[in-house]
Amino acid sequence: MSTSAEPRREALVELYREVSDCTRCPLHAGRTKAVFGSGNADAELLFVGEAPGAEEDRQGLPFVGRAGQLLNQLLEGIGMRREDVFIGNILKSRPPGNRDPQPEEIDACWPYLERQIQLIEPRVIATLGNFATKRITGSQVGITRCCGTPQVHEIAGRTVFIYPLFHPAAALRTPSVLDRLREDFSRLPSLLAEPLPELEAPAGSANEPVGARRDPASQLDLFG
Ligand code: SF4
């Protein structure tokens, strides 16, 4: 059941503060800034990537490098802006040297993503890349096989479309992946307009898991 936008936005700001101070896993020790995510606190479309990179860690913002610029272009291509969506990651703190996230780090951080989903109430969660897709769908099917095909899942107590997409960083490296990513993006508007089907079985969430410091006031307008 949806609650009105303002209390959810306030709770999201509280969660942002909690994440900014989080010491639940060892990654807190090496980060410059936690990257909570940014965008529209009431977005219908939530993008989820893997973890912050070096520039994200410096700025405390998600997808700010070349991959982020591509994401912006792809959004423009379907008539959307970054302010229309919310963008975050599975992990909120940068793994050293961009190594793969460890299971215990994912488990420690997962409740934050769950809470973000509960507060933002997206209809479509677009997973960016193999890592986020496998974690959120709970399946080992790789991104090459499942990209562009919407799935219906219950996650964090909400029924949502999961829409697997190639990671923009992969598209920067391989032109054919970019073509595919553009093609899959082009179907996002119609997916956003589609009614969500009811889940028939007791959903058995695809995701068992899942499970928030203070920054300058200027960062609180991360959420439009
Ligand atoms: S990665 Fe997540 S759980 Fe680990 S310190 Fe950062 S915010 Fe906390």
Side-chain angles (χ1 to χ4, degrees):
M1 181 65 68
S2 176
T3 52
S4 65
E6 192 52 34
R8 289 189 285 113
R9 185 184 186 284
E10 286 169 10
L12 200 63
V13 171
E14 268 314 301
L15 186 64
Y16 162 80
R17 291 178 173 143
E18 193 182 330
V19 166
S20 299
D21 282 334
C22 177
T23 57
R24 278 189 200 171
C25 88
L27 292 180
H28 80 276
R31 74 180 175 221
T32 307
K33 288 181 177 172
V35 180
F36 180 74
S38 70
N40 186 335
D42 205 23
E44 299 239 298
L45 175 56
L46 169 67
F47 288 94
V48 181
E50 177 174 330
E55 194 53 37
E56 286 80 14
D57 174 73
R58 266 192 290 278
Q59 295 192 31
L61 293 167
F63 285 84
V64 288
R66 287 180 63 226
Q69 289 167 12
L70 175 56
L71 188 56
N72 294 348
Q73 288 170 15
L74 289 161
L75 282 168
E76 282 169 21
I78 57 170
M80 296 183 84
R81 300 162 308 156
R82 216 165 146 124
E83 304 80 64
D84 298 324
V85 304
F86 199 93
I87 303 176
N89 287 301
I90 300 270
L91 285 191
K92 316 304 189 199
S93 304
R94 182 191 181 211
N98 294 344
R99 64 153 169 77
D100 288 345
Q102 301 299 298
E104 59 274 19
E105 297 161 357
I106 298 164
D107 288 346
C109 212
W110 180 254
Y112 294 135
L113 181 60
E114 265 198 333
R115 192 75 184 121
Q116 287 176 308
I117 292 167
Q118 289 164 347
L119 292 172
I120 297 168
E121 301 186 342
R123 299 181 71 255
V124 176
I125 300 176
T127 53
L128 298 172
N130 229 355
F131 181 88
T133 299
K134 287 181 176 178
R135 186 66 187 85
I136 288 181
T137 63
S139 162
Q140 285 308 303
V141 175
I143 189 66
T144 306
R145 282 181 55 207
C146 68
C147 67
T149 303
Q151 307 174 20
V152 180
H153 284 270
E154 184 179 308
I155 179 166
R158 300 184 56 77
T159 302
V160 291
F161 285 118
I162 304 294
Y163 193 55
L165 294 169
F166 276 112
H167 196 289
L172 286 170
R173 294 191 294 268
T174 310
S176 60
V177 169
L178 178 56
D179 290 344
R180 180 60 196 258
L181 184 56
R182 283 193 204 286
E183 188 186 323
D184 292 344
F185 247 80
S186 71
R187 287 195 288 271
L188 265 171
S190 57
L191 180 60
L192 283 163
E194 218 171 280
L196 272 160
E198 297 282 327
L199 277 176
E200 287 178 7
S205 163
N207 311 270
E208 274 315 305
V210 198
R213 173 232 119 81
R214 177 167 309 276
D215 264 292
S218 64
Q219 286 210 13
L220 296 182
D221 57 24
L222 291 173
F223 322 121

Coordinates of all heavy atoms in Angstrom, one line a residue, residues 19 22-28 31 34 91-93 105 108-109 112, ligand 1:
V19 N 22.9 5.6 6.0 CA 23.9 5.0 5.1 C 25.2 5.7 5.1 O 26.3 5.1 5.1 CB 23.3 4.9 3.6 CG1 24.4 4.6 2.6 CG2 22.2 3.8 3.5
C22 N 27.2 4.5 7.9 CA 27.2 3.1 8.1 C 28.6 2.5 8.3 O 29.5 2.8 7.5 CB 26.5 2.4 6.9 SG 26.4 0.6 7.1
T23 N 28.7 1.6 9.3 CA 29.9 0.8 9.5 C 29.6 -0.7 9.5 O 30.3 -1.4 10.2 CB 30.6 1.3 10.8 OG1 29.7 1.1 11.9 CG2 31.1 2.7 10.7
R24 N 28.5 -1.1 8.9 CA 28.1 -2.5 9.0 C 29.1 -3.5 8.4 O 29.0 -4.6 8.7 CB 26.7 -2.7 8.3 CG 25.6 -2.3 9.1 CD 24.3 -2.7 8.4 NE 23.2 -2.0 8.9 CZ 22.0 -2.0 8.3 NH1 21.8 -2.8 7.2 NH2 21.0 -1.4 8.8
C25 N 29.8 -3.0 7.4 CA 30.8 -3.9 6.8 C 32.1 -3.2 6.6 O 32.2 -2.0 6.7 CB 30.3 -4.5 5.5 SG 30.6 -3.5 4.0
P26 N 33.2 -4.0 6.4 CA 34.5 -3.4 6.4 C 34.7 -2.3 5.3 O 35.7 -1.5 5.4 CB 35.4 -4.6 6.2 CG 34.7 -5.8 6.6 CD 33.2 -5.5 6.3
L27 N 33.8 -2.3 4.3 CA 34.0 -1.3 3.2 C 34.0 0.1 3.7 O 34.5 1.0 3.0 CB 33.0 -1.5 2.1 CG 33.2 -2.8 1.3 CD1 32.1 -2.9 0.2 CD2 34.5 -2.9 0.7
H28 N 33.4 0.3 4.8 CA 33.3 1.7 5.3 C 34.7 2.4 5.5 O 34.8 3.6 5.4 CB 32.4 1.8 6.6 CG 33.2 1.5 7.8 ND1 33.4 0.2 8.2 CD2 33.9 2.2 8.7 CE1 34.1 0.1 9.3 NE2 34.4 1.4 9.7
R31 N 36.2 3.9 2.2 CA 35.5 4.8 1.3 C 35.8 6.3 1.6 O 36.2 6.6 2.7 CB 33.9 4.6 1.5 CG 33.4 5.1 2.8 CD 31.9 4.9 2.9 NE 31.5 5.4 4.2 CZ 30.6 4.8 5.0 NH1 30.1 3.6 4.6 NH2 30.3 5.3 6.2
A34 N 30.0 7.4 1.2 CA 29.0 6.4 0.8 C 28.2 7.0 -0.4 O 28.0 8.2 -0.5 CB 28.1 6.1 2.0
L91 N 25.7 -2.2 -3.6 CA 26.6 -1.7 -2.5 C 26.7 -0.2 -2.4 O 26.9 0.4 -3.5 CB 28.0 -2.3 -2.6 CG 28.3 -3.8 -2.3 CD1 29.8 -4.0 -2.3 CD2 27.7 -4.2 -1.0
K92 N 26.7 0.3 -1.2 CA 26.8 1.8 -1.1 C 28.2 2.3 -0.9 O 28.4 3.5 -0.9 CB 25.9 2.3 0.0 CG 24.5 1.6 0.1 CD 23.7 1.8 -1.1 CE 22.3 1.3 -0.9 NZ 21.6 1.0 -2.2
S93 N 29.1 1.4 -0.6 CA 30.5 1.9 -0.4 C 31.4 1.2 -1.4 O 31.1 0.0 -1.8 CB 31.0 1.6 1.0 OG 30.2 2.2 2.0
E105 N 29.5 -8.6 2.4 CA 29.2 -7.1 2.1 C 27.8 -6.9 1.5 O 27.1 -6.0 1.9 CB 30.3 -6.6 1.2 CG 31.7 -6.6 1.8 CD 32.8 -6.5 0.7 OE1 32.5 -6.5 -0.5 OE2 34.0 -6.5 1.1
A108 N 25.2 -7.4 4.2 CA 25.2 -6.3 5.1 C 24.5 -5.1 4.5 O 23.8 -4.3 5.2 CB 26.6 -5.9 5.6
C109 N 24.6 -4.9 3.2 CA 24.1 -3.7 2.6 C 22.7 -3.9 2.0 O 22.0 -2.9 1.8 CB 25.1 -3.3 1.4 SG 25.2 -1.5 1.2
Y112 N 19.5 -2.0 3.0 CA 19.3 -0.6 2.5 C 18.6 -0.5 1.2 O 17.8 0.4 1.0 CB 20.7 0.1 2.4 CG 21.4 0.3 3.7 CD1 22.7 0.0 3.9 CD2 20.7 0.8 4.9 CE1 23.4 0.2 5.1 CE2 21.3 1.0 6.1 CZ 22.7 0.6 6.2 OH 23.3 0.8 7.4
Ligands
SF4_1 S1 28.8 -1.2 1.8 FE1 26.8 -0.9 2.7 S2 26.9 -2.2 4.6 FE2 29.0 -1.8 3.9 S3 29.7 0.0 5.0 FE3 28.9 0.7 3.0 S4 26.7 1.2 3.4 FE4 27.4 -0.1 5.1

